[in-house]
Amino acid sequence: MMKDFWNDKVVVITGASSGIGEALLKETSRFVCTVFVLARRANEIEEPSSKHKECKIIPIAVDLQDSCSVSDALEILHRETEGIDVLFNNAGITAHGRFDELSMEVYRKTFATNFFGPIQLIQGLLPQLKKKKGRVVTTSTVSALYGIPGRAAYSSSKSALHAALEAMRIELREEGVGSSLVCVPYTETALRKSGLDASGQILDEGQAKAKLKTPEEVALLLMKTAMDREARLVTFDRSGRFVKWMRNLAPGLLEKILHKKLYHDFKN
Ligand SMILES: NC(=O)c1ccc[n+]([C@@H]2O[C@H](COP(=O)([O-])OP(=O)(O)OC[C@H]3O[C@@H](n4cnc5c(N)ncnc54)[C@H](OP(=O)(O)O)[C@@H]3O)[C@@H](O)[C@H]2O)c1
């Protein structure tokens, strides 16, 4: 089943140098497909040992915070491929800090990486996506489903992405371009190392004190989602389903729970 879908596909993965993107590369490269891997450190990405010998991996260095760099990456992708089957819109950064302390620079950098860069890239790749009736699968977060205390910049950048890509899906329905938003829970990656604190310094925090998913588990769910054209807003486990339903059914109770559970994350 996996083989039938992934063989001969053209796949683009953003943020393939670490964490979930790296796991996506490991899992997709088991098949006879072409995988474009994008990240600032794209040239440091090593071929997974499990890679199929006929899988082609093509690194493209890009900084999503820099629109000129995204344009350069688009030029390479336009030259290298006529069509794209699956675009894993995965790269992202987190930002931690109270609303009243977050610098505007943190909002700008978070939105540049999580929203403007991806939107520019996806928009620029629409001709290739239309050609193959391709799908955009976004690694989103449970934090996109409600404004999370201590995560105002991160939550808002990801929920903005939801709105733009939902609009895209409806507009491009007749042209067959799909879009799925996968709300991933806590996963064991470098996200909290590379993110930003309220003043814009590197966060360098340890893993969340919660049950963590592995990047491979998440990668397999993202690949499964890519195979389902009807997948829209996908939640992974109870945490996502809980926020998704509670925001409509009982937002007051949801806020009390978020306050209690995340108190230590935002209280001075
Ligand atoms: N880990 C979690 O608990 C969790 C939960 C929910 C959602 N997510 C989402 O999962 C996605 C992947 O993150 P991760 O957890 O795997 O973290 P990660 O290990 O820190 O990986 C982040 C990836 O994004 C790339 N990236 C960051 N800034 C970039 C930029 N300016 N330009 C290009 N690429 C950039 C990084 O590559 P370079 O540094 O080489 O550029 C890296 O490959 C993110 O969108 C995140 O929001 C993660």
Side-chain angles (χ1 to χ4, degrees):
M1 174 87 168
M2 286 286 256
K3 208 164 151 183
D4 292 345
F5 182 87
W6 292 100
N7 275 352
D8 300 320
K9 292 286 190 282
V10 177
V11 179
V12 176
I13 305 171
T14 69
S17 60
S18 173
I20 296 167
E22 189 180 355
L24 274 169
L25 171 61
K26 184 175 140 205
E27 297 302 331
T28 52
S29 65
R30 294 181 194 276
F31 301 98
V32 185
C33 56
T34 303
V35 192
F36 291 94
V37 286
L38 276 64
R40 287 166 300 187
R41 292 169 291 163
N43 294 323
E44 293 171 28
I45 296 174
E46 288 176 13
E47 287 198 344
S49 55
S50 52
K51 173 186 143 348
H52 192 289
K53 63 180 183 330
E54 288 175 52
C55 171
K56 210 168 140 193
I57 299 175
I58 304 169
I60 302 178
V62 64
D63 182 352
L64 289 168
Q65 287 188 30
D66 174 357
S67 65
C68 295
S69 172
V70 177
S71 297
D72 291 346
L74 283 168
E75 211 179 295
I76 299 171
L77 280 159
H78 290 160
R79 203 170 54 228
E80 295 285 326
T81 183
E82 285 184 3
I84 293 169
D85 296 283
V86 180
L87 165 53
F88 287 108
N89 171 34
N90 167 77
I93 53 166
T94 191
H96 292 191
R98 285 173 58 97
F99 181 85
D100 53 10
E101 288 173 351
L102 274 172
S103 76
M104 290 314 295
E105 195 51 24
V106 172
Y107 275 100
R108 285 193 194 96
K109 282 189 177 164
T110 309
F111 269 75
T113 313
N114 295 353
F115 182 79
F116 290 110
I119 293 294
Q120 186 188 351
L121 189 79
I122 294 166
Q123 203 183 53
L125 293 177
L126 283 181
Q128 278 88 344
L129 285 161
K130 286 179 185 172
K131 184 136 194 169
K132 295 270 206 126
K133 295 194 187 311
R135 298 128 201 227
V136 179
V137 178
T138 296
T139 313
S140 187
T141 162
V142 175
S143 306
L145 299 171
Y146 206 88
I148 301 297
R151 306 282 184 279
Y154 181 58
S155 268
S156 55
S157 67
K158 290 285 190 173
S159 41
L161 195 57
H162 280 209
L165 295 180
E166 281 165 357
M168 179 195 81
R169 184 177 55 229
I170 300 166
E171 290 173 18
L172 297 180
R173 193 187 156 99
E174 281 160 10
E175 285 159 287
V177 178
S179 166
S180 309
L181 302 156
V182 184
C183 297
V184 171
Y186 291 127
T187 306
E188 198 176 349
T189 68
L191 192 72
R192 283 171 174 238
K193 285 247 166 281
S194 56
L196 303 173
D197 69 14
S199 63
Q201 300 301 307
I202 293 296
L203 193 58
D204 202 19
E205 272 187 14
Q207 297 290 349
K209 288 184 186 64
K211 200 158 176 281
L212 301 174
K213 300 287 175 199
T214 65
E216 286 73 22
E217 275 178 278
V218 177
L220 290 172
L221 178 80
L222 292 166
M223 287 171 73
K224 205 170 134 212
T225 302
M227 295 162 68
D228 176 5
R229 186 164 284 284
E230 293 307 312
R232 288 179 168 73
L233 185 62
V234 179
T235 44
F236 200 114
D237 64 1
R238 265 195 313 186
S239 66
R241 286 192 286 279
F242 182 76
V243 179
K244 184 169 146 185
W245 292 111
M246 287 294 278
R247 71 163 294 139
N248 295 323
L249 295 175
L253 179 58
L254 174 61
E255 288 189 7
K256 272 189 199 151
I257 294 168
L258 289 174
H259 184 275
K260 194 170 164 204
K261 281 204 84 160
L262 295 169
Y263 189 78
H264 64 278
D265 270 9
F266 65 84
K267 197 66 193 163
N268 281 329

